[in-house]
Amino acid sequence: MLECRIHKARRAYDVNVEFVADAERLALFGPSGSGKSTILSCLAGLERPDAGHIHCDGQNWFSPPLALHLRSVGYLSQREALFPHLSVADNVQFSLDAAARAHERAWIDEMRERLNLTTLWRARPHHLSGGQARRVALARTLCRRPRLVLLDEPFTGLDRPLVRELVTILKEWQERLRFTLLAVDHDPLVLEGLCPRVIALEEGRVVQRGDWSELARAPATPTLRALLDLNP
Amino acid sequence: MPKDLPRTLALTITALFLLYPLWGLASPVGRWQWGAADASPALATSFALTGVALLIVVAIGTPLAFSLRGATRAVRITFEAVVLLSVLMPPLALGLLLALAFGPGTALGSLLLRLGIPTSNDSTAFVVTQIYASLGYYLLGAAAAFEAVPRELEQSAALLGLKPREVLWRVTLPLARLGLAAAVSLAWVRALGEFGAIMVTAYYPHGIPVQLWVDLQDSGLPAVLPLLLVFLLSALPLPWALRILVRARGHA
Protein backbone atom coordinates (compact mmCIF):
# COMPACT_ATOMS: atom_id res chain seq x y z
CA MET A 1 0.00 0.00 0.00
CA LEU A 2 1.23 3.48 -0.88
CA GLU A 3 0.47 6.24 1.60
CA CYS A 4 1.52 9.64 0.43
CA ARG A 5 1.31 13.12 1.89
CA ILE A 6 3.48 15.64 0.12
CA HIS A 7 4.10 19.32 0.63
CA LYS A 8 6.49 20.84 -1.89
CA ALA A 9 7.03 24.58 -2.31
CA ARG A 10 7.27 25.75 -5.90
CA ARG A 11 7.71 29.09 -7.57
CA ALA A 12 4.12 29.48 -8.79
CA TYR A 13 2.29 27.66 -5.96
CA ASP A 14 2.89 24.90 -3.46
CA VAL A 15 2.00 21.27 -4.06
CA ASN A 16 -0.13 19.87 -1.22
CA VAL A 17 -1.57 16.41 -1.77
CA GLU A 18 -2.54 13.39 0.24
CA PHE A 19 -3.73 10.05 -1.09
CA VAL A 20 -3.56 6.30 -0.63
CA ALA A 21 -3.27 3.67 -3.33
CA ASP A 22 -3.19 -0.07 -2.90
CA ALA A 23 -2.21 -2.41 -5.73
CA GLU A 24 -4.33 -0.43 -8.15
CA ARG A 25 -4.06 1.83 -11.17
CA LEU A 26 -4.53 5.47 -10.31
CA ALA A 27 -4.43 8.44 -12.70
CA LEU A 28 -3.24 11.91 -11.78
CA PHE A 29 -5.12 14.31 -14.02
CA GLY A 30 -5.04 18.07 -14.36
CA PRO A 31 -3.80 21.00 -16.40
CA SER A 32 -0.14 21.62 -17.12
CA GLY A 33 1.73 22.78 -14.07
CA SER A 34 -0.77 21.36 -11.60
CA GLY A 35 1.94 19.37 -9.83
CA LYS A 36 1.41 15.89 -11.32
CA SER A 37 5.01 15.31 -12.36
CA THR A 38 6.30 16.85 -9.14
CA ILE A 39 4.35 14.24 -7.20
CA LEU A 40 5.82 11.41 -9.28
CA SER A 41 9.33 12.85 -8.89
CA CYS A 42 8.90 13.03 -5.13
CA LEU A 43 7.68 9.44 -5.01
CA ALA A 44 10.60 8.25 -7.14
CA GLY A 45 13.07 10.22 -5.01
CA LEU A 46 14.19 12.49 -7.83
CA GLU A 47 12.86 15.47 -5.88
CA ARG A 48 12.61 15.88 -2.14
CA PRO A 49 9.35 17.06 -0.57
CA ASP A 50 9.59 19.88 1.94
CA ALA A 51 7.32 18.05 4.34
CA GLY A 52 4.99 15.07 4.55
CA HIS A 53 5.51 11.36 4.50
CA ILE A 54 5.68 8.55 1.97
CA HIS A 55 5.23 4.92 2.98
CA CYS A 56 5.17 2.02 0.57
CA ASP A 57 4.36 -1.50 1.69
CA GLY A 58 5.49 -0.78 5.22
CA GLN A 59 8.76 0.86 4.18
CA ASN A 60 9.39 4.52 5.03
CA TRP A 61 10.49 6.43 1.91
CA PHE A 62 10.14 9.91 3.38
CA SER A 63 11.05 11.37 5.77
CA PRO A 64 13.95 10.90 6.12
CA PRO A 65 14.39 10.39 2.39
CA LEU A 66 15.23 6.84 1.40
CA ALA A 67 17.95 6.48 -1.24
CA LEU A 68 16.70 5.87 -4.78
CA HIS A 69 18.19 2.41 -5.07
CA LEU A 70 16.41 1.20 -1.95
CA ARG A 71 12.93 2.13 -3.23
CA SER A 72 11.13 -0.57 -5.14
CA VAL A 73 9.95 1.83 -7.80
CA GLY A 74 9.78 1.81 -11.57
CA TYR A 75 9.77 5.20 -13.28
CA LEU A 76 8.94 5.58 -16.93
CA SER A 77 8.76 8.89 -18.76
CA GLN A 78 8.76 10.02 -22.38
CA ARG A 79 12.56 10.04 -22.22
CA GLU A 80 13.53 6.41 -22.31
CA ALA A 81 17.03 6.95 -20.87
CA LEU A 82 18.27 3.63 -22.24
CA PHE A 83 21.92 2.85 -21.60
CA PRO A 84 23.60 3.46 -24.97
CA HIS A 85 26.55 1.15 -24.28
CA LEU A 86 24.33 -1.88 -23.65
CA SER A 87 22.22 -4.07 -25.88
CA VAL A 88 18.45 -4.25 -25.56
CA ALA A 89 18.83 -7.53 -23.66
CA ASP A 90 21.25 -5.98 -21.17
CA ASN A 91 19.11 -2.88 -20.82
CA VAL A 92 16.03 -4.94 -20.00
CA GLN A 93 17.88 -7.15 -17.49
CA PHE A 94 20.02 -4.32 -16.12
CA SER A 95 18.58 -4.52 -12.61
CA LEU A 96 19.14 -8.28 -12.28
CA ASP A 97 22.34 -10.11 -11.39
CA ALA A 98 23.17 -13.44 -13.05
CA ALA A 99 21.25 -15.50 -10.51
CA ALA A 100 18.19 -13.28 -10.74
CA ARG A 101 18.31 -13.41 -14.55
CA ALA A 102 18.18 -17.19 -14.42
CA HIS A 103 15.40 -17.10 -11.85
CA GLU A 104 13.34 -14.61 -13.84
CA ARG A 105 13.92 -16.30 -17.22
CA ALA A 106 10.22 -17.02 -17.82
CA TRP A 107 9.21 -13.44 -16.93
CA ILE A 108 11.91 -11.97 -19.15
CA ASP A 109 10.90 -14.23 -22.03
CA GLU A 110 7.27 -13.21 -21.58
CA MET A 111 8.11 -9.51 -21.69
CA ARG A 112 10.31 -10.04 -24.73
CA GLU A 113 7.49 -11.80 -26.58
CA ARG A 114 4.65 -9.52 -25.55
CA LEU A 115 6.55 -6.32 -26.26
CA ASN A 116 7.90 -7.60 -29.60
CA LEU A 117 11.52 -7.29 -28.58
CA THR A 118 12.77 -10.64 -29.89
CA THR A 119 14.24 -9.32 -33.13
CA LEU A 120 15.73 -6.32 -31.31
CA TRP A 121 17.23 -8.32 -28.45
CA ARG A 122 20.87 -7.86 -29.51
CA ALA A 123 20.46 -4.34 -30.96
CA ARG A 124 21.89 -1.20 -29.42
CA PRO A 125 19.51 1.62 -28.40
CA HIS A 126 20.64 3.99 -31.15
CA HIS A 127 19.22 1.55 -33.71
CA LEU A 128 15.72 1.67 -32.20
CA SER A 129 12.75 3.78 -33.22
CA GLY A 130 10.93 5.85 -30.61
CA GLY A 131 8.24 3.22 -30.14
CA GLN A 132 10.74 0.40 -29.85
CA ALA A 133 12.81 2.31 -27.32
CA ARG A 134 9.71 3.00 -25.24
CA ARG A 135 8.86 -0.74 -25.22
CA VAL A 136 12.40 -1.58 -24.09
CA ALA A 137 12.16 1.03 -21.33
CA LEU A 138 8.87 -0.49 -20.17
CA ALA A 139 10.38 -3.97 -20.03
CA ARG A 140 13.39 -2.64 -18.13
CA THR A 141 11.12 -0.84 -15.66
CA LEU A 142 9.04 -3.92 -14.92
CA CYS A 143 11.83 -6.50 -15.04
CA ARG A 144 12.55 -6.49 -11.32
CA ARG A 145 8.82 -6.35 -10.44
CA PRO A 146 8.74 -3.01 -8.59
CA ARG A 147 6.04 -2.42 -5.94
CA LEU A 148 5.27 1.02 -7.37
CA VAL A 149 5.25 1.97 -11.06
CA LEU A 150 5.19 5.64 -12.04
CA LEU A 151 4.28 6.61 -15.59
CA ASP A 152 5.03 10.23 -16.47
CA GLU A 153 3.53 10.69 -19.94
CA PRO A 154 5.33 7.62 -21.33
CA PHE A 155 2.95 7.38 -24.31
CA THR A 156 3.67 10.85 -25.71
CA GLY A 157 4.60 10.71 -29.37
CA LEU A 158 3.53 7.09 -29.89
CA ASP A 159 0.89 6.10 -32.41
CA ARG A 160 -2.59 5.10 -31.21
CA PRO A 161 -2.37 1.35 -31.94
CA LEU A 162 0.87 1.05 -29.99
CA VAL A 163 -0.54 3.05 -27.08
CA ARG A 164 -3.63 0.79 -26.99
CA GLU A 165 -1.41 -2.28 -27.06
CA LEU A 166 0.84 -1.00 -24.25
CA VAL A 167 -2.17 -0.01 -22.13
CA THR A 168 -3.65 -3.50 -22.53
CA ILE A 169 -0.38 -5.15 -21.56
CA LEU A 170 0.15 -2.83 -18.60
CA LYS A 171 -3.35 -3.51 -17.27
CA GLU A 172 -2.85 -7.23 -17.55
CA TRP A 173 0.53 -7.23 -15.85
CA GLN A 174 -0.59 -4.85 -13.09
CA GLU A 175 -3.50 -7.13 -12.23
CA ARG A 176 -1.23 -10.16 -12.20
CA LEU A 177 1.77 -8.67 -10.39
CA ARG A 178 -0.34 -6.47 -8.09
CA PHE A 179 1.92 -3.42 -8.15
CA THR A 180 0.56 0.08 -7.57
CA LEU A 181 0.53 2.15 -10.73
CA LEU A 182 0.32 5.95 -10.89
CA ALA A 183 -0.03 7.45 -14.33
CA VAL A 184 0.18 10.99 -15.69
CA ASP A 185 -0.74 11.79 -19.26
CA HIS A 186 -2.01 14.79 -21.18
CA ASP A 187 -4.61 12.59 -22.87
CA PRO A 188 -7.56 11.64 -20.61
CA LEU A 189 -8.58 8.92 -23.06
CA VAL A 190 -5.31 7.11 -22.44
CA LEU A 191 -5.62 7.58 -18.69
CA GLU A 192 -9.23 6.46 -18.70
CA GLY A 193 -8.29 3.33 -20.61
CA LEU A 194 -5.52 2.52 -18.16
CA CYS A 195 -6.73 3.69 -14.74
CA PRO A 196 -10.21 3.17 -13.26
CA ARG A 197 -9.58 5.74 -10.50
CA VAL A 198 -8.50 9.32 -10.90
CA ILE A 199 -7.25 12.13 -8.72
CA ALA A 200 -7.78 15.53 -10.29
CA LEU A 201 -5.29 18.25 -9.44
CA GLU A 202 -5.24 21.98 -9.87
CA GLU A 203 -2.57 24.39 -8.72
CA GLY A 204 -0.98 21.73 -6.57
CA ARG A 205 -4.16 20.70 -4.74
CA VAL A 206 -6.51 17.75 -5.08
CA VAL A 207 -9.81 19.10 -6.36
CA GLN A 208 -11.63 15.85 -7.02
CA ARG A 209 -11.27 12.07 -6.59
CA GLY A 210 -13.29 9.18 -7.91
CA ASP A 211 -13.83 7.29 -11.10
CA TRP A 212 -13.92 8.79 -14.57
CA SER A 213 -17.71 8.73 -14.88
CA GLU A 214 -18.02 10.88 -11.74
CA LEU A 215 -15.44 13.27 -13.06
CA ALA A 216 -17.19 13.52 -16.42
CA ARG A 217 -20.63 13.89 -14.85
CA ALA A 218 -19.75 16.63 -12.39
CA PRO A 219 -16.30 18.10 -12.78
CA ALA A 220 -15.36 20.05 -9.67
CA THR A 221 -13.92 23.09 -11.41
CA PRO A 222 -14.35 24.95 -14.71
CA THR A 223 -10.76 24.05 -15.63
CA LEU A 224 -11.48 20.35 -15.27
CA ARG A 225 -14.65 20.72 -17.32
CA ALA A 226 -12.72 22.51 -20.03
CA LEU A 227 -10.02 19.84 -20.03
CA LEU A 228 -12.55 17.06 -20.36
CA ASP A 229 -14.54 18.95 -23.02
CA LEU A 230 -11.38 19.51 -25.03
CA ASN A 231 -10.84 15.77 -25.07
CA PRO A 232 -14.29 14.30 -25.68
CA MET B 1 32.90 27.23 -57.93
CA PRO B 2 31.72 24.39 -55.66
CA LYS B 3 30.24 25.72 -52.44
CA ASP B 4 32.61 23.82 -50.16
CA LEU B 5 35.78 24.57 -52.16
CA PRO B 6 37.00 27.40 -49.87
CA ARG B 7 36.52 25.23 -46.82
CA THR B 8 38.26 22.25 -48.45
CA LEU B 9 41.15 24.48 -49.49
CA ALA B 10 41.49 26.01 -46.05
CA LEU B 11 41.42 22.60 -44.34
CA THR B 12 43.91 21.14 -46.79
CA ILE B 13 46.35 24.03 -46.48
CA THR B 14 46.15 23.93 -42.68
CA ALA B 15 46.64 20.15 -42.60
CA LEU B 16 49.67 20.44 -44.90
CA PHE B 17 51.04 23.25 -42.75
CA LEU B 18 50.73 21.09 -39.63
CA LEU B 19 52.24 18.00 -41.28
CA TYR B 20 55.05 19.85 -43.05
CA PRO B 21 57.55 19.65 -40.12
CA LEU B 22 57.54 15.84 -40.48
CA TRP B 23 59.20 16.42 -43.84
CA GLY B 24 62.21 17.43 -41.79
CA LEU B 25 62.90 13.74 -41.19
CA ALA B 26 63.82 13.52 -44.88
CA SER B 27 66.23 16.44 -44.71
CA PRO B 28 69.68 15.89 -46.27
CA VAL B 29 71.62 16.02 -43.03
CA GLY B 30 73.94 13.17 -43.93
CA ARG B 31 73.86 9.49 -43.00
CA TRP B 32 71.83 8.86 -39.85
CA GLN B 33 74.06 7.66 -37.01
CA TRP B 34 71.92 4.94 -35.47
CA GLY B 35 74.61 3.87 -33.06
CA ALA B 36 76.07 7.27 -32.23
CA ALA B 37 74.72 7.16 -28.72
CA ASP B 38 72.94 4.48 -26.76
CA ALA B 39 69.38 5.77 -26.58
CA SER B 40 67.98 2.92 -24.56
CA PRO B 41 68.62 4.49 -21.11
CA ALA B 42 66.79 7.65 -22.17
CA LEU B 43 63.92 5.63 -23.61
CA ALA B 44 63.71 3.51 -20.45
CA THR B 45 63.84 6.60 -18.22
CA SER B 46 61.16 8.43 -20.18
CA PHE B 47 58.72 5.55 -20.52
CA ALA B 48 59.15 4.15 -16.99
CA LEU B 49 58.97 7.50 -15.19
CA THR B 50 56.18 8.83 -17.42
CA GLY B 51 54.26 5.62 -16.65
CA VAL B 52 54.67 6.23 -12.93
CA ALA B 53 53.69 9.89 -13.28
CA LEU B 54 50.66 8.98 -15.35
CA LEU B 55 49.50 6.37 -12.83
CA ILE B 56 49.68 8.98 -10.09
CA VAL B 57 47.91 11.58 -12.25
CA VAL B 58 45.07 9.15 -13.06
CA ALA B 59 44.82 7.93 -9.48
CA ILE B 60 44.55 11.48 -8.14
CA GLY B 61 42.75 13.09 -11.04
CA THR B 62 39.95 10.63 -11.70
CA PRO B 63 38.20 10.77 -8.31
CA LEU B 64 38.85 14.50 -8.13
CA ALA B 65 37.32 15.12 -11.56
CA PHE B 66 34.34 12.92 -10.64
CA SER B 67 33.81 14.75 -7.36
CA LEU B 68 33.72 18.08 -9.20
CA ARG B 69 30.30 17.15 -10.62
CA GLY B 70 28.73 17.46 -7.20
CA ALA B 71 30.52 20.69 -6.31
CA THR B 72 28.85 24.08 -6.30
CA ARG B 73 29.36 26.36 -9.29
CA ALA B 74 31.58 28.68 -7.26
CA VAL B 75 33.83 25.80 -6.18
CA ARG B 76 34.04 24.50 -9.74
CA ILE B 77 34.94 27.85 -11.25
CA THR B 78 37.54 28.55 -8.56
CA PHE B 79 39.12 25.12 -8.89
CA GLU B 80 39.13 25.25 -12.69
CA ALA B 81 40.81 28.66 -12.54
CA VAL B 82 43.61 27.15 -10.46
CA VAL B 83 43.91 24.17 -12.80
CA LEU B 84 44.00 26.48 -15.81
CA LEU B 85 46.83 28.41 -14.22
CA SER B 86 48.95 25.25 -14.18
CA VAL B 87 47.92 24.37 -17.74
CA LEU B 88 48.74 27.79 -19.09
CA MET B 89 52.07 28.06 -17.28
CA PRO B 90 54.98 28.17 -19.78
CA PRO B 91 57.10 25.01 -19.24
CA LEU B 92 60.32 26.87 -18.51
CA ALA B 93 58.55 29.09 -16.00
CA LEU B 94 57.10 25.99 -14.37
CA GLY B 95 60.55 24.45 -14.10
CA LEU B 96 62.03 27.58 -12.55
CA LEU B 97 59.17 27.92 -10.07
CA LEU B 98 59.42 24.25 -9.11
CA ALA B 99 63.17 24.62 -8.58
CA LEU B 100 62.60 27.68 -6.43
CA ALA B 101 59.81 26.02 -4.45
CA PHE B 102 61.31 22.55 -4.00
CA GLY B 103 65.03 23.23 -4.40
CA PRO B 104 67.54 22.09 -1.78
CA GLY B 105 67.84 25.67 -0.57
CA THR B 106 64.18 25.84 0.45
CA ALA B 107 62.79 24.66 3.77
CA LEU B 108 60.61 22.06 2.03
CA GLY B 109 63.44 20.92 -0.23
CA SER B 110 65.89 20.50 2.63
CA LEU B 111 63.30 18.66 4.69
CA LEU B 112 62.60 16.26 1.82
CA LEU B 113 66.33 15.80 1.30
CA ARG B 114 66.75 14.87 4.98
CA LEU B 115 64.00 12.31 4.47
CA GLY B 116 65.99 10.84 1.59
CA ILE B 117 63.89 12.38 -1.18
CA PRO B 118 66.05 14.48 -3.53
CA THR B 119 64.16 17.30 -5.18
CA SER B 120 66.40 17.90 -8.17
CA ASN B 121 68.28 15.82 -10.73
CA ASP B 122 66.61 12.64 -9.57
CA SER B 123 63.80 10.29 -10.64
CA THR B 124 61.56 11.78 -7.96
CA ALA B 125 62.08 15.29 -9.30
CA PHE B 126 61.49 13.98 -12.83
CA VAL B 127 58.16 12.38 -11.87
CA VAL B 128 57.00 15.32 -9.76
CA THR B 129 57.73 17.71 -12.63
CA GLN B 130 55.80 15.52 -15.05
CA ILE B 131 52.87 15.42 -12.65
CA TYR B 132 52.86 19.21 -12.44
CA ALA B 133 53.04 19.40 -16.24
CA SER B 134 50.23 16.94 -16.97
CA LEU B 135 47.78 16.85 -14.05
CA GLY B 136 45.91 19.96 -15.15
CA TYR B 137 45.38 18.60 -18.67
CA TYR B 138 44.08 15.31 -17.29
CA LEU B 139 41.79 17.02 -14.78
CA LEU B 140 40.17 19.25 -17.39
CA GLY B 141 39.68 16.32 -19.80
CA ALA B 142 38.39 13.94 -17.15
CA ALA B 143 36.01 16.53 -15.71
CA ALA B 144 34.58 17.13 -19.21
CA ALA B 145 34.23 13.36 -19.75
CA PHE B 146 32.26 12.92 -16.53
CA GLU B 147 30.19 16.02 -17.20
CA ALA B 148 29.15 14.56 -20.57
CA VAL B 149 27.48 11.55 -18.94
CA PRO B 150 23.73 12.32 -18.76
CA ARG B 151 22.53 12.48 -15.15
CA GLU B 152 19.24 10.89 -16.08
CA LEU B 153 21.03 7.66 -17.02
CA GLU B 154 22.61 7.52 -13.58
CA GLN B 155 19.25 8.27 -11.99
CA SER B 156 17.67 5.50 -14.08
CA ALA B 157 20.31 3.07 -12.87
CA ALA B 158 19.70 4.08 -9.24
CA LEU B 159 15.95 3.69 -9.72
CA LEU B 160 16.64 0.21 -11.06
CA GLY B 161 18.18 -0.65 -7.71
CA LEU B 162 21.88 -0.02 -8.25
CA LYS B 163 23.96 1.30 -5.38
CA PRO B 164 25.98 4.48 -6.08
CA ARG B 165 29.20 2.47 -6.48
CA GLU B 166 27.49 0.13 -8.96
CA VAL B 167 26.14 3.13 -10.90
CA LEU B 168 29.70 4.43 -11.16
CA TRP B 169 31.07 1.11 -12.46
CA ARG B 170 28.21 0.11 -14.74
CA VAL B 171 27.06 3.45 -16.14
CA THR B 172 29.29 6.43 -15.42
CA LEU B 173 32.71 4.95 -16.15
CA PRO B 174 31.67 3.00 -19.27
CA LEU B 175 30.06 6.13 -20.72
CA ALA B 176 32.99 8.36 -19.77
CA ARG B 177 35.69 5.93 -20.82
CA LEU B 178 36.44 7.41 -24.22
CA GLY B 179 36.68 10.90 -22.81
CA LEU B 180 38.88 9.59 -20.02
CA ALA B 181 41.05 7.82 -22.60
CA ALA B 182 41.44 11.10 -24.47
CA ALA B 183 42.44 12.82 -21.22
CA VAL B 184 44.98 10.07 -20.48
CA SER B 185 46.46 10.36 -23.97
CA LEU B 186 46.79 14.13 -23.62
CA ALA B 187 48.44 13.80 -20.22
CA TRP B 188 50.76 11.10 -21.57
CA VAL B 189 51.96 13.23 -24.47
CA ARG B 190 52.29 16.28 -22.24
CA ALA B 191 54.36 14.43 -19.62
CA LEU B 192 56.50 12.42 -22.03
CA GLY B 193 57.36 15.42 -24.17
CA GLU B 194 58.05 17.79 -21.27
CA PHE B 195 61.38 19.52 -21.85
CA GLY B 196 61.49 23.05 -20.51
CA ALA B 197 60.55 22.23 -16.93
CA ILE B 198 62.49 18.96 -16.83
CA MET B 199 65.61 20.76 -18.07
CA VAL B 200 65.56 22.85 -14.92
CA THR B 201 64.44 20.34 -12.31
CA ALA B 202 65.70 16.97 -13.55
CA TYR B 203 68.42 17.29 -16.15
CA TYR B 204 69.54 13.92 -14.82
CA PRO B 205 68.49 11.20 -15.41
CA HIS B 206 68.17 12.08 -19.10
CA GLY B 207 64.74 11.45 -20.56
CA ILE B 208 64.23 11.44 -24.33
CA PRO B 209 63.66 15.21 -24.78
CA VAL B 210 66.79 16.11 -22.81
CA GLN B 211 68.77 13.36 -24.55
CA LEU B 212 67.71 14.81 -27.91
CA TRP B 213 68.97 18.21 -26.80
CA VAL B 214 72.25 16.77 -25.55
CA ASP B 215 72.77 14.76 -28.76
CA LEU B 216 72.02 17.82 -30.84
CA GLN B 217 74.64 19.80 -28.95
CA ASP B 218 77.27 17.05 -28.96
CA SER B 219 76.82 15.19 -32.24
CA GLY B 220 74.51 17.14 -34.55
CA LEU B 221 71.43 16.20 -36.51
CA PRO B 222 72.58 12.84 -37.95
CA ALA B 223 72.79 11.51 -34.37
CA VAL B 224 69.55 13.14 -33.25
CA LEU B 225 67.18 12.06 -36.01
CA PRO B 226 67.21 8.29 -35.26
CA LEU B 227 66.24 8.93 -31.62
CA LEU B 228 63.68 11.50 -32.74
CA LEU B 229 62.09 8.93 -35.07
CA VAL B 230 62.02 6.29 -32.32
CA PHE B 231 60.51 8.88 -29.97
CA LEU B 232 57.75 9.81 -32.41
CA LEU B 233 56.95 6.21 -33.32
CA SER B 234 56.79 5.06 -29.72
CA ALA B 235 55.07 8.02 -28.13
CA LEU B 236 52.45 9.19 -30.60
CA PRO B 237 50.50 6.26 -32.15
CA LEU B 238 48.54 5.26 -29.02
CA PRO B 239 47.28 8.71 -27.99
CA TRP B 240 46.77 9.64 -31.64
CA ALA B 241 44.60 6.57 -32.28
CA LEU B 242 42.71 7.12 -29.02
CA ARG B 243 41.96 10.70 -29.92
CA ILE B 244 40.71 9.70 -33.39
CA LEU B 245 38.56 6.96 -31.85
CA VAL B 246 37.09 9.38 -29.35
CA ARG B 247 36.16 11.85 -32.06
CA ALA B 248 34.70 9.10 -34.25
CA ARG B 249 32.47 7.98 -31.38
CA GLY B 250 31.27 11.53 -30.82
CA HIS B 251 32.86 12.12 -27.42
CA ALA B 252 35.14 14.88 -26.14
Side-chain angles (χ1 to χ4, degrees):
Chain A
M1 177 185 287
L2 172 71
E3 298 170 67
C4 165
R5 185 163 60 80
I6 291 174
H7 170 79
K8 173 84 177 162
R10 298 198 314 173
R11 194 168 297 168
Y13 42 77
D14 295 354
V15 172
N16 269 307
V17 294
E18 185 170 0
F19 62 87
V20 173
D22 188 13
E24 63 183 310
R25 302 187 301 277
L26 180 63
L28 300 180
F29 179 65
S32 296
S34 58
K36 309 181 293 290
S37 293
T38 300
I39 294 168
L40 296 193
S41 289
C42 289
L43 289 170
L46 301 174
E47 287 185 62
R48 188 175 295 186
D50 297 316
H53 67 257
I54 302 169
H55 291 263
C56 187
D57 289 345
Q59 192 180 32
N60 185 26
W61 288 10
F62 184 83
S63 90
L66 188 67
L68 268 67
H69 69 279
L70 298 175
R71 303 178 185 216
S72 180
V73 61
Y75 182 83
L76 190 62
S77 73
Q78 52 188 299
R79 292 166 64 87
E80 300 86 10
L82 299 179
F83 304 116
H85 58 301
L86 300 178
S87 67
V88 166
D90 287 334
N91 263 282
V92 170
Q93 302 169 90
F94 186 80
S95 57
L96 307 179
D97 58 22
R101 286 183 188 199
H103 186 255
E104 292 285 14
R105 180 52 46 210
W107 170 229
I108 293 166
D109 287 346
E110 181 186 347
M111 286 196 297
R112 186 175 60 187
E113 295 299 325
R114 290 294 306 274
L115 293 169
N116 293 323
L117 301 178
T118 304
T119 55
L120 311 170
W121 205 234
R122 296 288 154 212
R124 289 294 176 102
H126 63 271
H127 288 126
L128 305 180
S129 68
Q132 290 169 336
R134 214 67 62 87
R135 278 156 29 206
V136 174
L138 176 60
R140 185 181 66 175
T141 301
L142 298 181
C143 193
R144 68 172 184 140
R145 304 171 187 256
R147 299 305 310 145
L148 174 65
V149 173
L150 307 170
L151 306 181
D152 192 0
E153 305 205 24
F155 307 115
T156 301
L158 302 183
D159 57 54
R160 284 275 173 198
L162 177 58
V163 172
R164 271 198 296 271
E165 186 188 340
L166 292 179
V167 165
T168 304
I169 292 172
L170 265 170
K171 284 163 68 175
E172 184 189 317
W173 284 345
Q174 186 276 327
E175 282 162 16
R176 179 146 59 89
L177 301 175
R178 306 293 296 160
F179 54 80
T180 297
L181 184 149
L182 292 187
V184 167
D185 202 281
H186 64 278
D187 186 346
L189 289 178
V190 171
L191 286 179
E192 195 174 346
L194 180 62
C195 303
R197 271 186 68 208
V198 57
I199 293 179
L201 298 159
E202 243 181 85
E203 298 188 346
R205 293 174 301 106
V206 176
V207 292
Q208 195 166 3
R209 306 167 196 255
D211 58 34
W212 287 96
S213 61
E214 291 169 31
L215 199 68
R217 197 169 52 246
T221 69
T223 306
L224 276 184
R225 179 184 300 281
L227 273 178
L228 291 165
D229 285 346
L230 282 173
N231 298 277
Chain B
M1 186 173 70
K3 202 169 67 177
D4 59 351
L5 185 62
R7 180 177 53 198
T8 307
L9 268 176
L11 292 175
T12 306
I13 290 168
T14 306
L16 288 173
F17 173 77
L18 293 174
L19 289 172
Y20 178 68
L22 290 175
W23 185 248
L25 290 169
S27 299
V29 297
R31 180 181 285 274
W32 284 19
Q33 297 169 17
W34 285 93
D38 183 9
S40 52
L43 284 169
T45 297
S46 269
F47 284 103
L49 297 185
T50 304
V52 171
L54 201 63
L55 280 176
I56 295 170
V57 163
V58 171
I60 295 172
T62 308
L64 205 54
F66 180 72
S67 72
L68 269 182
R69 304 175 87 202
T72 62
R73 188 174 151 77
V75 168
R76 280 183 65 101
I77 289 174
T78 308
F79 186 72
E80 282 176 13
V82 173
V83 172
L84 267 176
L85 199 65
S86 87
V87 166
L88 299 175
M89 182 90 66
L92 192 57
L94 175 65
L96 289 168
L97 291 173
L98 284 175
L100 290 170
F102 286 98
T106 64
L108 181 59
S110 60
L111 173 68
L112 289 169
L113 202 57
R114 278 202 298 278
L115 295 171
I117 306 170
T119 54
S120 68
N121 288 326
D122 181 78
S123 301
T124 309
F126 196 107
V127 169
V128 169
T129 306
Q130 286 187 313
I131 291 172
Y132 268 103
S134 60
L135 180 61
Y137 288 86
Y138 181 75
L139 274 173
L140 292 179
F146 283 126
E147 198 57 45
V149 176
R151 299 291 176 103
E152 64 174 351
L153 295 183
E154 294 170 318
Q155 285 181 340
S156 287
L159 284 168
L160 289 165
L162 264 68
K163 296 171 188 158
R165 192 186 312 146
E166 294 171 320
V167 174
L168 177 67
W169 280 110
R170 293 183 59 190
V171 177
T172 312
L173 284 176
L175 291 176
R177 70 186 191 284
L178 288 175
L180 290 175
V184 168
S185 68
L186 198 59
W188 166 261
V189 169
R190 190 69 189 80
L192 190 68
E194 181 52 52
F195 173 66
I198 295 274
M199 269 285 279
V200 180
T201 61
Y203 187 78
Y204 296 106
H206 287 347
I208 301 172
V210 172
Q211 186 67 52
L212 283 170
W213 174 253
V214 171
D215 286 353
L216 187 65
Q217 297 293 311
D218 294 349
S219 313
L221 283 170
V224 168
L225 289 182
L227 180 57
L228 180 62
L229 185 64
V230 172
F231 183 34
L232 293 178
L233 290 178
S234 55
L236 293 187
L238 182 66
W240 183 69
L242 269 176
R243 191 76 196 169
I244 300 292
L245 182 68
V246 167
R247 292 298 297 146
R249 298 275 184 94
H251 286 70

